[in-house]
Amino acid sequence: MADKVIFLRDPSRDSSDRAYKIKYADLLNPAQLAAVTHSDGPLLVIAGAGSGKTRTLIYRVARLIESGVPPGAILLMTFTRRAAQEMLERVERLVGEITRSVAGGTFHSFANNVLRRHGAQMGLKPNFTILDRGDMEDVINLLRARMGLASRDRRFPKKGTIAEVISMARNKMRDLLAEFEVDFPHLLEHQGEIIALAEKYEAYKRERGLLDYDDLLYRLAELLRQYPQVRRRLSQSYRYIMIDEYQDTNRIQAELVKLLASEHRNVMAVGDDAQSIYSFRGANFRNIMEFPELFAGARVIKLEENYRSVQGILDLANEVISRAAEKYTKVLFTSRRGGFRPILVRAQDEHMQSRFVAQRILELREEGVELDEMAVLFRSSFHSFDLELELQRRDIPFVKRGGFKFIETAHIKDVLAHLRVVANPADAVSWLRALMLVRGVGHRTAERAVEALVAADAPERELARLAQSTAREGAASGYARLAALFAEIRDKTKRPAEKIAATIAYYLPLMREAFPDDYPKRERDLEHFQNITERYRSLETMLADMALEPPNDSLGGVLAEGPEDEFLTLSTIHSAKGLEWRIVFVIWAADGRFPGPMSVDEESIEEERRLMYVASTRARDELYLTYPIYMFDRINGYMMGRASRFLDDLPAEILPTATLQDAESIE
């Protein structure tokens, strides 16, 4: 029998018949209050940039709890675990420790938990290993080689490209053939082989208890569709569902929301169609536009009062997005005072653009604006190369958001591989990585050893046997050391941090040999990694978190040193979403760069427009948009540049233009 949820009070009853501890009407603006006090049924909150959407979600959770809804019946879905934790901590400060029962996290972490509890019904063991993108590509590469598709005699798509095809098909809920036709037509000549490879990849994962990142959502949807009793139980357990950043959901996430709400339709989706900029990750702009169709009768509330930017910046953002082909019409306004208007600066060439930005940053620093209150944003990572040289020349310390994530570095992945085979001895990918570190063991030898280890009841005894049977002295001692490590870290009485410490001690001499040029930086990363894992009591939880919500920043990620941790931020606009600074520069705001040359169809152009809106709304006090008059193009040589089409026809009272004659003056 399905679980029955009993409410302490009916949350839909009017606030006039009970006394609330929190004075919502005094703390929220009218639109926020309408969203927070909404009763049952679907609700779409269109939250303009800087309009207090997080505050609205927090008070909505508090209001439900104060209305008598059991905290465990509330599910808050976000795109980072940190965001969920911060929201729930703020709710706890409002209504107390009772909020700790609220379920909060990312779609993927929620899927991970549900599949470990209920996945056995579909043949999924609870100790499955989660593959990150690098692991996924390694498996694909292994299978590609086995199929004879990695020959030097013929051109065949790289492992990363194949992984991208498979991932996009999953996220967009298409079969592979349709995915080729829509997003990868240039690979159609290889479609038969890639489809066969994808089938082998699926079989490989299922045989070895592996799930990649996309599988978490895909298999959860499969579970909810095929097993109605599980769907009903979850839907009845989570009677109120809230989703943050709904514009960033993909098709399968929208499907999951519908399945989870099948018993009640109490869904509150919060997002901004004007900030839908992640189609390259599979996000679907249509989800937020079609929410009222997916949930018939949905109420739509718009948050338009902005608490971040001065009105001049908002006027620019409003004008840019007002020309979008499809949108929820809204007009951002603020009560903040300040007469600053954004400025479009035309520089003579790229180098003068860099000189202007660097000099203006130094001037602002002299005026008392700290470097970490300023940011330079750009459409593509390579757009900042010249500026980076200028900043270094002027000794302006900076950090650049992007590049390798901490968890993707070879040394962190090597350490994790040893721990993952403890949690799941059938994880052939991690066994192969661990064995390839053993001196004297090549790829073919490692593959044969993996087959024996996966089949063995006691892997440490199999390692000891390998040590005795090999004729290579280096390999023998390496197998023996690995066997000793495995026996030590399999000890269930040891905490994860102790197992990591033992693994790092084993790995350090191997790392120093493999990375002689920069091993000190990697050692600092390993020390940082061990500190991160100190709080864990479960190895399985730690490994799942590393796959689902990995730490992003390597300690070596700073490009220029500075005093007292004060750095200017350089960032792609995609990486800057959700952040804000007092002063923002947007460089290369030129047609052909923003939008870029690959944006040719209406859909991609419209997403680039939304990207300009996101860039503009990161600024609180001052916004400078710059581009060079003379631009160098690799194919056409030097050419005349013009302002981005999203800016070039804006009224002068919205965006005045200044031509830079030299780095000292604007006229």
Side-chain angles (χ1 to χ4, degrees):
M1 179 181 291
D3 295 347
K4 184 178 181 181
V5 177
I6 300 175
F7 291 101
L8 302 180
R9 288 183 65 90
D10 180 358
S12 65
R13 291 179 65 179
D14 187 83
S15 61
S16 62
D17 71 349
R18 66 170 291 129
Y20 287 92
K21 172 186 172 184
I22 300 169
K23 305 303 180 185
Y24 296 95
D26 297 336
L27 297 168
L28 303 167
N29 68 38
Q32 291 171 337
L33 183 64
V36 166
T37 57
H38 174 78
S39 57
D40 287 2
L43 170 66
L44 175 62
V45 178
I46 301 298
S51 63
K53 72 174 180 63
T54 300
R55 183 180 183 84
T56 304
L57 280 163
I58 289 165
Y59 278 91
R60 166 74 169 162
V61 175
R63 176 80 174 200
L64 287 172
I65 293 172
E66 281 209 284
S67 298
V69 176
I74 301 170
L75 174 62
L76 174 61
M77 304 281 261
T78 63
F79 274 80
T80 67
R81 185 181 60 180
R82 181 178 176 181
Q85 288 175 335
E86 289 178 353
M87 286 187 202
L88 294 179
E89 285 169 5
R90 289 172 63 180
V91 177
E92 184 176 342
R93 290 196 290 269
L94 291 173
V95 295
E97 294 183 0
I98 190 174
T99 61
R100 294 180 183 179
S101 300
V102 174
T106 66
F107 278 92
H108 290 85
S109 63
F110 176 77
N112 172 60
N113 293 333
V114 172
L115 289 173
R116 292 191 192 277
R117 292 200 312 268
H118 302 289
Q121 298 193 50
M122 55 196 300
L124 188 62
K125 294 181 179 179
N127 69 332
F128 60 79
T129 296
I130 303 171
L131 303 178
D132 64 19
R133 176 52 71 94
D135 300 322
M136 177 185 183
E137 291 179 6
D138 288 344
V139 174
I140 288 170
N141 205 40
L142 173 67
L143 298 174
R144 186 178 68 159
R146 288 181 180 177
M147 294 173 66
L149 300 175
S151 170
R152 295 183 180 180
D153 298 332
R154 55 170 299 193
R155 186 186 68 81
F156 194 75
K158 295 179 180 179
K159 60 182 182 180
T161 303
I162 298 169
E164 184 69 9
V165 174
I166 295 171
S167 179
M168 289 297 278
R170 283 288 179 87
N171 287 323
K172 295 184 176 181
M173 295 176 67
R174 293 182 183 138
D175 61 43
L176 276 173
L177 186 57
E179 182 59 30
F180 280 119
E181 293 173 348
V182 175
D183 291 328
F184 299 91
H186 58 292
L187 300 181
L188 279 169
E189 62 179 297
H190 304 292
Q191 61 177 323
E193 293 160 314
I194 294 177
I195 290 172
L197 175 55
E199 291 171 352
K200 289 186 179 295
Y201 172 63
E202 289 303 314
Y204 185 94
K205 288 184 296 180
R206 290 181 185 256
E207 289 169 6
R208 292 163 175 80
L210 307 173
L211 265 66
D212 61 37
Y213 199 60
D214 300 314
D215 283 329
L216 291 169
L217 302 185
Y218 192 84
R219 298 298 296 277
L220 175 59
E222 183 182 333
L223 176 70
L224 297 180
R225 289 192 207 102
Q226 295 182 7
Y227 298 89
Q229 72 278 17
V230 176
R231 182 178 67 246
R232 283 194 297 271
R233 181 175 181 181
L234 289 173
S235 184
Q236 291 171 351
S237 294
Y238 301 114
R239 299 290 299 184
Y240 290 87
I241 299 173
M242 283 172 276
I243 307 100
D244 189 19
E245 304 285 9
Y246 192 75
Q247 78 281 348
D248 294 336
T249 55
N250 58 34
R251 282 197 63 192
I252 199 164
Q253 287 165 330
E255 175 73 8
L256 285 171
V257 171
K258 185 177 181 180
L259 290 167
L260 289 169
S262 59
E263 296 291 305
H264 50 74
R265 300 177 75 248
N266 294 328
V267 175
M268 175 182 176
V270 181
D272 185 3
D273 55 298
Q275 297 187 69
S276 179
I277 59 173
Y278 293 120
S279 65
F280 67 95
R281 295 181 187 169
N284 188 358
F285 175 69
R286 302 248 47 88
N287 285 353
I288 194 165
M289 300 308 298
E290 295 173 359
F291 183 89
E293 297 173 25
L294 186 66
F295 292 96
R299 183 182 181 189
V300 179
I301 295 174
K302 300 174 186 177
L303 306 184
E304 297 173 288
E305 183 170 0
N306 179 282
Y307 297 93
R308 176 187 301 158
S309 307
V310 295
Q311 190 62 50
I313 292 171
L314 299 181
D315 289 344
L316 170 65
N318 287 333
E319 193 69 27
V320 167
I321 207 64
S322 70
R323 306 177 185 206
E326 188 175 7
K327 60 187 177 296
Y328 287 99
T329 301
K330 58 184 176 297
V331 179
L332 299 179
F333 66 93
T334 184
S335 59
R336 280 197 65 196
R337 295 183 178 181
F340 179 86
R341 287 280 172 195
I343 301 172
L344 179 62
V345 178
R346 304 167 74 241
Q348 193 72 10
D349 55 24
E350 180 181 14
H351 183 52
M352 188 169 284
Q353 174 182 248
S354 299
R355 289 173 63 198
F356 162 71
V357 172
Q359 181 178 309
R360 183 62 186 137
I361 286 167
L362 289 174
E363 290 170 354
L364 289 161
R365 186 68 185 85
E366 287 299 312
E367 294 169 14
V369 182
E370 295 189 355
L371 290 178
D372 55 15
E373 282 289 286
M374 295 183 269
V376 183
L377 308 183
F378 31 85
R379 174 63 185 85
S380 300
S381 185
F382 71 89
H383 289 170
S384 69
F385 290 169
D386 185 76
L387 176 61
E388 290 171 37
L389 295 174
E390 184 67 16
L391 294 172
Q392 289 172 338
R393 189 178 71 80
R394 299 195 185 211
D395 295 323
I396 300 175
F398 64 89
V399 289
K400 186 173 181 180
R401 296 176 63 87
F404 263 111
K405 292 183 179 178
F406 176 77
I407 207 70
E408 294 171 351
T409 55
H411 47 293
I412 299 297
K413 289 178 71 69
D414 286 344
V415 170
L416 282 172
H418 294 81
L419 299 164
R420 285 164 58 168
V421 295
V422 173
N424 179 10
D427 183 353
V429 177
S430 295
W431 271 122
L432 185 63
R433 190 174 192 102
L435 289 171
M436 289 297 292
L437 294 168
V438 176
R439 295 185 185 93
V441 175
H443 200 281
R444 290 185 180 179
T445 302
E447 278 202 52
R448 289 194 297 270
V450 166
E451 292 180 10
L453 286 163
V454 168
D457 293 329
E460 64 268 34
R461 287 204 295 269
E462 180 60 28
L463 286 168
R465 187 193 67 77
L466 289 169
Q468 294 172 355
S469 63
T470 184
R472 297 179 179 178
E473 185 176 340
S477 62
Y479 280 135
R481 285 187 66 228
L482 183 56
L485 171 69
F486 194 76
E488 181 178 0
I489 61 179
R490 281 193 76 187
D491 184 348
K492 294 183 179 180
T493 65
K494 290 184 180 293
R495 294 168 51 244
E498 294 176 290
K499 298 181 180 184
I500 290 165
T503 306
I504 290 174
Y506 161 85
Y507 177 67
L508 279 176
L510 302 177
M511 184 188 72
R512 289 169 183 155
E513 183 177 312
F515 306 105
D517 294 337
D518 64 350
Y519 70 82
K521 180 187 78 68
R522 295 174 188 266
E523 286 181 2
R524 292 197 301 272
D525 276 352
L526 291 174
E527 182 179 344
H528 179 49
F529 176 58
Q530 187 165 354
N531 289 336
I532 290 171
T533 59
E534 282 288 343
R535 65 185 176 87
Y536 287 97
R537 295 294 176 267
S538 162
L539 179 63
E540 289 73 17
T541 301
M542 187 274 289
L543 292 172
D545 281 358
M546 290 303 110
L548 296 169
E549 284 283 329
N552 285 334
D553 298 323
S554 167
L555 296 185
V558 177
L559 297 184
E561 297 297 331
E564 301 177 358
D565 298 324
E566 187 187 341
F567 302 103
L568 171 74
T569 297
L570 307 185
S571 177
T572 63
I573 301 166
H574 286 100
S575 295
K577 183 175 173 291
L579 303 176
E580 61 181 76
W581 295 269
R582 279 186 63 185
I583 315 293
V584 170
F585 299 83
V586 180
I587 61 173
W588 281 107
D591 236 38
R593 297 291 194 278
F594 194 173
M598 301 302 291
S599 299
V600 291
D601 60 274
E602 182 179 355
E603 189 174 315
S604 60
I605 290 292
E606 286 301 299
E607 180 157 325
E608 293 285 304
R609 181 186 302 279
R610 298 192 291 270
L611 200 60
M612 182 66 78
Y613 172 89
V614 169
S616 303
T617 53
R618 298 311 93 200
R620 296 202 298 267
D621 298 341
E622 296 183 18
L623 173 64
Y624 301 88
L625 303 113
T626 74
Y627 74 97
I629 299 171
Y630 294 101
M631 305 185 346
F632 180 78
D633 181 82
R634 185 171 53 86
I635 298 174
N636 301 315
Y638 279 98
M639 52 189 294
M640 292 291 289
R642 69 181 186 92
S644 167
R645 69 190 67 181
F646 309 129
L647 305 174
D648 66 355
D649 60 348
L650 298 187
E653 62 270 21
I654 296 290
L655 184 65
T657 301
T659 301
L660 188 66
Q661 300 296 339
D662 55 52
E664 303 297 330
S665 63
I666 300 176
E667 65 177 30

